[in-house]
Amino acid sequence: MPIVRAAAPAAPAAPVDLEAIELRVLHLPLVSPFTTSFGTETVREVIIVRARTAGGDGWGEIVTQHAPLYSSEYTRGAWDVAERFLVPALLEAGTLAPEQVAGVLEPFVGHRMVKAGLELAVLDAALRAEGRPLGEYLGATAPRVPSGVSVGIQRDAAALVDAVGGYLDQGYVRIKIKIKPGRDIADTAAVRDAFGAIPLQVDANSAYTLADAATLAELDRFDLLLIEQPLQEDDIVDHATLAARLRTPICLDESIVSAKAAADALALRAASIINIKAGRVGGYLEAVRIHDLCREAGMPVWCGGMLETGIGRAANAALAALPGFTLPGDISASDRFYTRDIVTEPIVLEDGHVRVPTGPGIGVEIDPVALEDATVDRVELRR
Ligand code: OSB
Ligand code: MG
């Protein structure tokens, strides 16, 4: 069994004196509706965290969605647990290093996306104060990361081909299409027929059961990079059973909620690839631990996305630059989802890649006017 590293990768960051934490709910209109097997989103509802410290501010993003459809977490629940329990616990601690945040929040069960957003804000404040980039701190080795795009379910297969063609024209190096029962084989066939041997994968967001194994096995003929999360979050054994019946590699997303869950999935052969999302696993430090154990086991990983703003995307690019991220991530440019991002320099695609920020902390600056315009609720909790 691989050794799970307990502390942060490089040198730990210096503690910060937390003075206050500000939470904002934002509503950001999407450039086009985003449909998955669990629903359609037209406005991204997300929480932005500002950690106010004696040495300056730090920013984080709580990647919950409006409704508990992807996982049990959702924005208003996140807001409540943050305001009532998690933020007070951090303020009570007062002076703390980013590596201590998870331990302070540990007594509170679950709510990993909230914990991740709070930890990122403290980490960003600490690294900005030291002038150290997040990528360097996490152990990034690449200056830029290949950019894949997640394409929602469209009106019909022709519309899907149009959408995919548009993203390929923009330079995205890997396409992921969302599937669900009844919108799987024909949609995948249409994309393969139209674009040939492009790097292609599918994401079911838990929409199938083992009874659908024969349908899922039909996907084998399309030479996909992987099929992401075909079964439910807690179907670890069923995923192992399914994996033995498919040629297409199974990748887990929803099921991998911690380094422990990743180690279990590996041991049970429930997946041969893992999608790492810092929000889903409770933070960027836990994400690095999953990266490390997968790398040791020779299992490829890639960086997933939750329609992040420039704050979360910048941090995701830093994470995806670690050496074990051998498959392109869902790290699309700001304009994939938003006409107006809340950072001063939107994330852009350059030759199919996104640059890993080199400035202190997450390496992007917040646009105060865009932030204010998108804010629908705000609270500041003081020490
Ligand atoms: O399953 O990867 C997923 C978005 C919201 C919730 C779940 C998922 C997604 C995506 C979008 O696929 C990826 C992105 O942010 O580009
Ligand atoms: Mg997914």
Side-chain angles (χ1 to χ4, degrees):
M1 193 50 55
I3 294 155
V4 176
R5 180 157 60 195
V16 294
D17 282 315
L18 261 186
E19 292 172 346
I21 289 185
E22 179 195 68
L23 303 171
R24 288 168 183 259
V25 177
L26 308 191
H27 281 181
L28 291 165
L30 297 181
V31 292
S32 57
F34 185 62
T35 299
T36 63
S37 63
F38 59 75
T40 298
E41 235 177 318
T42 54
V43 174
R44 177 74 175 112
E45 184 183 78
V46 66
I47 298 176
I48 297 301
V49 182
R50 184 196 325 215
R52 317 210 69 150
T53 78
D57 290 354
W59 297 88
E61 179 165 349
I62 297 173
V63 299
T64 50
Q65 296 179 294
H66 173 75
L69 299 173
Y70 163 76
S71 74
S72 65
E73 293 191 77
Y74 67 102
T75 303
R76 284 292 163 183
W79 181 270
D80 188 74
V81 80
E83 191 176 15
R84 218 186 274 264
F85 302 106
L86 304 187
V87 171
L90 290 179
L91 293 173
E92 171 92 7
T95 300
L96 83 174
E99 298 84 7
Q100 296 174 311
V101 170
V104 170
L105 302 181
E106 229 240 341
F108 304 100
V109 175
H111 300 286
R112 293 182 171 92
M113 293 178 185
V114 187
K115 293 173 177 175
L118 294 172
E119 184 191 76
L120 181 60
V122 172
L123 184 53
D124 184 43
L127 294 177
R128 280 182 201 261
E130 290 177 34
R132 185 148 49 130
L134 178 65
E136 189 185 304
Y137 170 84
L138 295 177
T141 52
R144 57 181 208 159
V145 295
S147 181
V149 63
S150 175
V151 186
I153 295 169
Q154 308 290 316
R155 190 177 59 253
D156 53 32
L160 174 63
V161 166
D162 274 356
V164 169
Y167 293 123
L168 290 171
D169 287 345
Q170 290 174 47
Y172 285 104
V173 301
R174 182 276 276 149
I175 299 292
K176 154 170 145 182
I177 62 168
K178 294 289 189 177
I179 60 167
K180 65 176 182 179
R183 293 299 302 274
D184 38 33
I185 310 303
D187 276 16
T188 308
V191 174
R192 265 286 177 254
D193 287 350
F195 305 110
I198 56 164
L200 180 65
Q201 62 195 52
V202 298
D203 186 359
N205 287 111
S206 310
Y208 297 87
T209 72
L210 257 194
D212 301 307
T215 302
L216 295 168
E218 281 184 58
L219 291 169
D220 277 347
R221 70 182 152 100
F222 299 115
D223 283 314
L224 302 173
L225 290 168
L226 56 91
I227 172 169
E228 185 177 344
Q229 196 70 39
L231 314 178
Q232 296 285 300
E233 178 175 325
D234 52 4
D235 284 342
I236 302 298
V237 171
D238 281 359
H239 273 112
T241 305
L242 181 64
R245 292 183 56 178
L246 302 187
R247 193 167 56 81
T248 310
I250 287 186
C251 168
L252 290 178
D253 172 355
E254 283 88 327
S255 296
I256 307 301
V257 296
S258 63
K260 179 65 165 56
D264 288 355
L266 241 108
L268 290 170
R269 299 179 187 282
S272 50
I273 298 172
I274 286 177
N275 164 340
I276 299 183
K277 289 181 183 170
R280 197 195 60 225
V281 306
Y284 285 84
L285 301 185
E286 184 76 354
V288 170
R289 286 190 279 272
I290 298 177
H291 161 273
D292 292 351
L293 76 87
C294 288
R295 189 160 185 240
E296 200 141 330
M299 177 180 285
V301 301
W302 56 281
C303 183
M306 290 294 294
L307 296 87
E308 284 87 352
T309 70
I311 294 175
R313 294 265 156 176
N316 287 349
L319 177 67
L322 269 67
F325 285 81
T326 52
L327 289 166
D330 283 342
I331 306 178
S332 45
S334 292
D335 69 2
R336 155 70 184 94
F337 290 114
Y338 306 111
T339 43
R340 188 185 182 203
D341 205 334
I342 57 165
V343 292
T344 53
E345 285 185 46
I347 311 296
V348 292
L349 211 59
E350 294 169 6
D351 184 28
H353 290 68
V354 164
R355 222 183 299 192
V356 179
T358 53
I362 58 174
V364 289
E365 299 306 321
I366 281 51
D367 176 342
V369 179
L371 179 70
E372 197 56 39
D373 287 352
T375 300
V376 298
D377 208 347
R378 175 184 174 278
V379 68
E380 186 172 80
L381 300 166
R382 278 173 234 281
R383 198 162 165 185

